[in-house]
């Protein structure tokens, strides 16, 4: 594989899954760690990724000042957000994770909506602050700098004390065999608690993440009650998930 092709693959993986580990890239591309390290350093010097110890972060996921131009598949995420927002009714208690699609969901909430949102994602909370009528409950103690979301035992305990009407999960990867997966342990633990604490669970994902997996398991696909993508519900890619009893939106 040529360097240009290799770096294009690296960039796509980082944008899709928010962060990527060098060891994963070595296995997938079948090159040495030195080669991957040089590629990551070069992409970082061009401002396309953020190099961190052991891998890289997406610029759209880790920048301090939110820049809409940096969001991967922004139009698709807006479509998903508009679909998902239609599920929320007045008076609901709603749990939400972090991620760029959840930020779009926060922006898409109708201005007259009166509901309570429970969240530990800093960028999402900033969007909720702009809404005139919703109540916001902040959970957490420890801050994950890479995911920009609160985590830790206190956050998990707080989430478990809530019985939410809906839980909206930004999905990192989903696969019929591997289920819902992610790449940061503390985020996985928090998402597990969120799934357990909601009457209905809604997964939000662009279609490129479907039939992909990450190293850490959240749970089986059957944990989802709804799956929202930018695709029409009858798309062939989504049919196997509908066959699992998941409502496709």
């Amino acid at each position: 594989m040529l360097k240009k092709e290799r770096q294009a693959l690296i960039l796509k993986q980082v944008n899709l899954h928010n962060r990527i580990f060098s060891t994963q890239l070595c296995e997938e591309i079948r090159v040495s760690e030195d080669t991957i390290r040089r590629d990551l350093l070069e992409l970082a010097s061009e401002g396309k990724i953020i190099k961190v110890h052991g891998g890289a972060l997406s610029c759209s996921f880790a920048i301090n000042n939110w820049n809409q131009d940096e969001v991967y598949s922004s139009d698709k995420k807006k479509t998903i957000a508009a679909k998902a927002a239609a599920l929320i009714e007045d008076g609901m208690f709603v749990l939400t994770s972090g991620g760029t699609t959840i930020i779009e969901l926060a922006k898409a909430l109708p201005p007259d909506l009166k509901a309570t949102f429970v969240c530990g994602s800093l960028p999402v909370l900033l969007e909720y602050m702009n809404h005139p009528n919703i109540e916001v409950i902040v959970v957490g103690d420890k801050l994950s700098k890479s995911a920009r979301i609160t985590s830790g035992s206190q956050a998990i305990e707080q989430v478990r004390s809530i019985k939410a009407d809906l839980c909206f999960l930004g999905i990192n990867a989903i696969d019929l065999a591997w289920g819902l997966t992610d790449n940061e342990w503390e985020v996985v633990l928090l998402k597990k608690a969120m799934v357990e604490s909601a009457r209905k669970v809604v997964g939000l994902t662009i279609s490129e993440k479907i039939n992909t997996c990450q190293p850490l398991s959240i749970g089986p696909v059957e944990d989802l009650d709804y799956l929202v993508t930018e695709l029409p519900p009858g798309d062939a890619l989504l049919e196997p998930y509908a066959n699992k009893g998941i409502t496709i939106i």
Side-chain angles (χ1 to χ4, degrees), residues 9-231:
L9 176 60
I10 292 170
L11 190 58
K12 180 177 180 179
Q13 290 300 311
V14 172
N15 282 327
L16 273 182
H17 301 297
N18 303 321
R19 67 180 297 170
I20 197 71
F21 296 101
S22 299
T23 51
Q24 286 179 272
L25 292 171
C26 291
E27 292 178 6
E28 183 173 350
I29 304 176
R30 297 184 180 181
V31 294
S32 69
E33 289 189 17
D34 283 342
T35 298
I36 293 299
R37 180 179 56 81
R38 288 193 296 270
D39 284 338
L40 294 180
L41 288 171
E42 186 171 327
L43 288 169
S45 70
E46 296 170 357
K48 296 178 179 178
I49 62 170
I50 296 174
K51 178 75 175 70
V52 295
H53 179 70
L57 297 174
S58 167
C59 291
S60 69
F61 197 73
I63 52 178
N64 292 325
N65 296 312
W66 193 259
N67 183 351
Q68 187 67 27
D69 294 337
E70 296 288 347
V71 177
Y72 182 72
S73 295
S74 175
D75 289 343
K76 293 179 181 179
K77 292 175 181 179
K78 289 178 181 178
T79 298
I80 294 167
K83 291 183 181 182
L87 295 172
I88 306 171
E89 301 176 1
D90 282 347
M92 281 186 167
F93 268 72
V94 182
L95 275 166
T96 64
S97 68
T100 50
T101 308
I102 300 294
I103 292 173
E104 294 300 334
L105 172 62
K107 293 178 179 179
L109 298 177
D112 59 345
L113 178 68
K114 295 180 180 179
T116 300
F117 285 75
V118 184
C119 184
S121 166
L122 300 186
V124 177
L125 289 168
L126 290 174
E127 290 299 330
Y128 287 154
M129 287 174 59
N130 296 323
H131 196 284
N133 292 311
I134 64 171
E135 297 291 333
V136 183
I137 297 174
V138 182
V139 299
D141 50 300
K142 182 180 178 182
L143 177 65
S144 167
K145 292 181 180 180
S146 59
R148 295 193 299 173
I149 193 168
T150 58
S151 58
S153 59
Q154 185 176 338
I156 292 170
E157 183 178 347
Q158 289 171 340
V159 167
R160 284 178 174 162
S161 70
I162 296 168
K163 180 52 68 176
D165 296 290
L166 291 175
C167 167
F168 288 93
L169 285 183
I171 292 178
N172 200 324
I174 180 171
D175 180 79
L176 289 172
W178 294 100
L180 309 174
T181 55
D182 213 308
N183 53 28
E184 187 161 340
W185 179 241
E186 291 183 334
V187 172
V188 165
L189 293 178
L190 187 60
K191 285 185 174 182
K192 283 176 178 282
M194 292 174 67
V195 168
E196 294 168 0
S197 298
R199 292 185 174 91
K200 298 288 184 180
V201 180
V202 187
L204 310 183
T205 182
I206 58 174
S207 57
E208 285 179 83
K209 295 184 180 182
I210 293 175
N211 300 332
T212 69
C213 66
Q214 288 291 289
L216 303 173
S217 173
I218 297 168
V221 295
E222 289 87 352
D223 280 347
L224 297 181
D225 296 284
Y226 300 92
L227 179 61
V228 189
T229 77
E230 82 281 5
L231 301 174

